[in-house]
Amino acid sequence: MEEQFRYDPLGRPFDQVRLLKIINVTTETVHCELLTADLGSTKAYTALSYTWGDESIKVRIKVNGKSFYVTANLEKALRRLPSTRFPNLLSAYSLLSEDLCLYWIDAVCINQDDVEERNQQIQWMKNIYRLAEKVVIWLGDDHETEDDAHWFRQELWGFQRLQRGDAESTALAMELIRNFHFPGFSERNENLWSDIGSWAALARLFKRSWFERLWVIQELEMAKIAIIQCGKHDIPWLNLVAIVRMILRPPALPIKLPRRLFPYMGAERVQNVAVQGTDRTNVLAILRQTRAAKCKDPRDKLYAISGVITNGAIDFRIDYRITVESLYSNWAWERIQRTNRLDVLSACADSAENGLPSWVPDLRKTWGSDRPLFCMTHSLPEAQNSQNIKYNADYMIKQSRKRRIDDAGRLHIKGHRVGRISAIGVIGDVTQKITDPTDLKEGILAIIHAWEKMFYQENPWSGQPARSFDVDSFPIPRIAIVFAKTILRGYVRWSDEKSPAPLVERFHAWLWNLPARKN
């Protein structure tokens, strides 16, 4: 009977880590040794950023001569890592070309069954990735099962299925990235730039599940040097970022590029794992930026971004012993107490459906407000300046000393009643059931029509629909002005403030100039 590996407790779990040394790789298994080291010691190591993959399928490796089971995706990475010399790195990185056989890998280096150790080590993850000599991003082998789910539009690409991934197709995608240097385009590379197969191979890499994982945001953020590896091929992360920027905002270049394909490549998935331009001191801003990222444990919606926050004001403590509901509620209350604001309400959307108080954001669900409204209430870079922050209903909350939570979880706050909600319309998510990612106008029209119908049912005026009145006649019904102003989120020029006609006229011109529903 095989002997199973057992962890020895860390002597100092708050400043010690385990490092995995790959000893030998055979056709049967991967042989490793697990060492203990002081964090920040002279030992050089590589941190691995990867997805666990299907946890129901485990593969045996040997750790300290004993059996240890890891996911198939990690086992494939372990087989590739020892042979990786990163020959394509720039000369500035030449000191790192020697393979570092010491790795920090969470699934092995943390005793996942020891909740106390897990709590302690997760708090150290920011420093673990920051102190690593480099971070290797493992996207998987040349072919992964998840690739089979991706289809291409025949009318755009000329095919529906790309041939099964292999070393050659990965090499084409990597070559496309590697040869992209502004202004390094040249005629000799024109065949590469116009090769649809190379762009399709790159698009397939963009769709790998690594780009959906929440934890990678912190891992990438902390990396001194990040290297992407797929199969046996590797490329610096910054090279990938450069070509992604070009795909998302194509510049004028003296060569022919298949620009029609760019909106369908999924390059925005690469951009989503970075939080560049996001206020690192604002937890809500980071949560909104990372809301589409995936994690297995809902508590990680908060825990996984703790290393990205720069001012330390996270209002929660990493503890996997508490429930999701307790974590979210405690965090929301602590934030209200510390900031004297109610901005957590901007993240709420039907929280009560999952057993949370309505004032507590359910981070497992769709965000509560759209981007422009969120930016206008949070002093973010997207807002032109702080004087444009028009919506601040909690401005005087610091004067309310009687705020409390009762035994039923209800939040009590002193305030002024300004109105009453009489109806709730459809959620304005134009990305649901979308067929063409480059054309959202049909979805916008449908949503605004639904809002308009509900609005005038609740606020009737002279029995006529809003679209039928003459915008050149006066007086324009006040309710029409209110609706237009609400949809435009208050974006009104000062010169128009006292003249309602231009605002309503602009709104209807914008609305009815949108293309009609396609037949």
Side-chain angles (χ1 to χ4, degrees):
M1 184 176 180
E2 63 181 18
E3 187 176 1
Q4 300 292 323
F5 174 82
R6 295 183 180 277
Y7 286 96
D8 291 326
L10 290 170
R12 301 191 309 278
F14 279 109
D15 62 1
Q16 281 188 328
V17 294
R18 299 186 185 93
L19 297 175
L20 190 70
K21 184 175 184 180
I22 301 176
I23 305 297
N24 188 28
V25 178
T26 66
T27 55
E28 291 80 19
T29 192
V30 179
H31 297 267
C32 308
E33 181 182 0
L34 201 57
L35 311 172
T36 300
D38 294 337
L39 191 61
S41 68
T42 56
K43 285 186 179 294
Y45 64 93
T46 297
L48 186 66
S49 180
Y50 70 110
T51 61
W52 282 30
D54 188 348
E55 294 185 52
S56 66
I57 302 175
K58 294 293 183 72
V59 181
R60 188 189 67 167
I61 64 172
K62 290 285 188 175
V63 176
N64 296 352
K66 300 173 183 177
S67 294
F68 190 101
Y69 286 86
V70 298
T71 61
N73 188 48
L74 177 52
E75 194 264 353
K76 286 186 290 187
L78 294 174
R79 287 185 173 276
R80 292 289 193 183
L81 287 172
S83 61
T84 302
R85 299 288 175 176
F86 307 110
N88 300 313
L89 292 183
L90 302 177
S91 58
Y93 300 156
S94 59
L95 292 176
L96 301 179
S97 60
E98 287 298 322
D99 187 27
L100 297 171
C101 289
L102 285 176
Y103 297 92
W104 189 87
I105 304 171
D106 59 351
V108 182
C109 297
I110 297 176
N111 182 355
Q112 299 292 330
D113 295 327
D114 186 337
V115 177
E116 187 64 31
E117 178 182 303
R118 191 173 160 206
N119 289 342
Q120 294 164 344
Q121 290 283 287
I122 293 297
Q123 294 181 53
W124 276 102
M125 279 185 64
K126 176 179 179 178
N127 290 326
I128 290 171
Y129 279 88
R130 181 177 60 84
L131 295 172
E133 289 294 313
K134 61 180 180 290
V135 173
V136 171
I137 298 165
W138 170 251
L139 294 185
D141 256 335
D142 300 312
H143 174 263
E144 294 290 342
T145 304
E146 62 180 308
D147 298 340
D148 300 333
H150 303 308
W151 291 73
F152 295 84
R153 292 178 61 176
Q154 178 75 38
E155 65 272 23
L156 283 171
W157 296 85
F159 50 80
Q160 288 185 327
R161 304 287 288 183
L162 189 61
Q163 67 178 14
R164 180 186 172 95
D166 54 21
E168 182 179 354
S169 63
T170 303
L172 283 174
M174 294 295 187
E175 190 70 11
L176 199 61
I177 301 169
R178 188 175 298 112
N179 282 275
F180 178 78
H181 298 291
F182 273 113
F185 288 99
S186 63
E187 292 183 3
R188 66 183 177 85
N189 289 326
E190 191 163 347
N191 289 337
L192 178 64
W193 309 132
S194 60
D195 178 36
I196 303 300
S198 299
W199 290 101
L202 180 59
R204 186 164 58 186
L205 289 186
F206 288 160
K207 292 178 172 63
R208 289 287 173 91
S209 56
W210 183 88
F211 293 104
E212 299 176 346
R213 182 171 168 258
L214 180 58
W215 278 103
V216 306
I217 295 171
Q218 175 179 262
E219 296 163 4
L220 183 61
E221 178 78 5
M222 294 298 110
K224 297 175 185 175
I225 298 172
I227 302 160
I228 296 174
Q229 185 176 350
C230 182
K232 67 178 182 179
H233 297 279
D234 56 83
I235 200 79
W237 168 260
L238 293 180
N239 285 31
L240 180 66
V241 170
I243 199 169
V244 163
R245 286 174 178 164
M246 186 275 293
I247 291 171
L248 295 177
R249 294 182 179 273
L253 293 170
I255 62 169
K256 186 177 180 180
L257 291 171
R259 295 169 185 261
R260 71 185 188 282
L261 305 178
F262 289 175
Y264 304 92
M265 290 190 61
E268 67 281 355
R269 290 163 59 87
V270 181
Q271 192 177 53
N272 287 343
V273 300
V275 289
Q276 296 175 354
T278 302
D279 183 357
R280 310 299 178 84
T281 66
N282 189 331
V283 177
L284 287 175
I286 297 172
L287 284 169
R288 190 175 201 287
Q289 176 75 13
T290 61
R291 67 193 184 281
K294 296 179 180 179
C295 56
K296 184 181 71 171
D297 191 324
R299 291 169 292 193
D300 289 339
K301 283 290 186 178
L302 285 171
Y303 296 163
I305 66 168
S306 59
V308 180
I309 302 165
T310 57
N311 63 354
I314 58 177
D315 301 312
F316 60 85
R317 184 170 60 88
I318 294 175
D319 187 353
Y320 285 97
R321 293 169 297 189
I322 67 173
T323 65
V324 176
E325 293 75 17
S326 294
L327 172 64
Y328 290 179
S329 298
N330 293 344
W331 162 69
W333 175 243
E334 288 299 322
R335 180 172 178 82
I336 291 171
Q337 291 286 77
R338 179 180 60 82
T339 63
N340 287 316
R341 293 204 60 187
L342 294 174
D343 54 3
V344 292
L345 299 182
S346 65
C348 294
D350 299 328
S351 298
E353 288 186 358
N354 287 339
L356 284 170
S358 61
W359 56 273
V360 175
D362 189 346
L363 304 178
R364 299 165 292 192
K365 301 185 64 176
T366 304
W367 200 257
S369 61
D370 65 0
R371 184 178 182 86
L373 183 58
F374 182 82
C375 294
M376 292 184 71
T377 56
H378 287 80
S379 300
L380 299 185
E382 292 89 336
Q384 294 179 10
N385 57 62
S386 59
Q387 294 180 351
N388 284 342
I389 308 304
K390 301 180 180 181
Y391 311 108
N392 193 3
D394 60 5
Y395 180 71
M396 298 300 291
I397 188 177
K398 64 177 63 177
Q399 307 298 328
S400 176
R401 301 299 180 186
K402 296 183 179 181
R403 59 178 179 264
R404 61 183 177 86
I405 304 173
D406 64 22
D407 294 339
R410 291 185 292 258
L411 175 65
H412 293 258
I413 292 286
K414 183 180 180 180
H416 298 280
R417 178 176 293 178
V418 295
R420 176 179 174 272
I421 297 173
S422 59
I424 298 177
V426 298
I427 297 176
D429 186 357
V430 297
T431 62
Q432 289 185 353
K433 300 179 181 179
I434 187 173
T435 57
D436 186 348
T438 64
D439 185 7
L440 302 179
K441 294 179 180 179
E442 182 178 343
I444 293 173
L445 268 177
I447 290 168
I448 292 181
H449 287 167
W451 287 343
E452 189 178 42
K453 181 179 179 181
M454 179 202 71
F455 190 77
Y456 286 103
Q457 285 176 344
E458 293 294 322
N459 303 278
W461 66 277
S462 69
Q464 295 180 347
R467 66 177 68 90
S468 66
F469 72 82
D470 182 359
V471 296
D472 293 325
S473 65
F474 287 89
I476 291 176
R478 183 176 181 277
I479 199 68
I481 300 170
V482 171
F483 182 75
K485 210 167 186 178
T486 302
I487 297 299
L488 297 177
R489 302 184 190 87
Y491 285 116
V492 184
R493 294 179 304 188
W494 288 110
S495 60
D496 294 340
E497 278 292 322
K498 296 181 179 180
S499 177
L503 168 66
V504 178
E505 187 174 0
R506 281 202 316 275
F507 168 67
H508 281 270
W510 168 77
L511 181 62
W512 302 118
N513 281 332
L514 292 176
R517 185 180 298 274
K518 298 176 182 178
N519 295 322

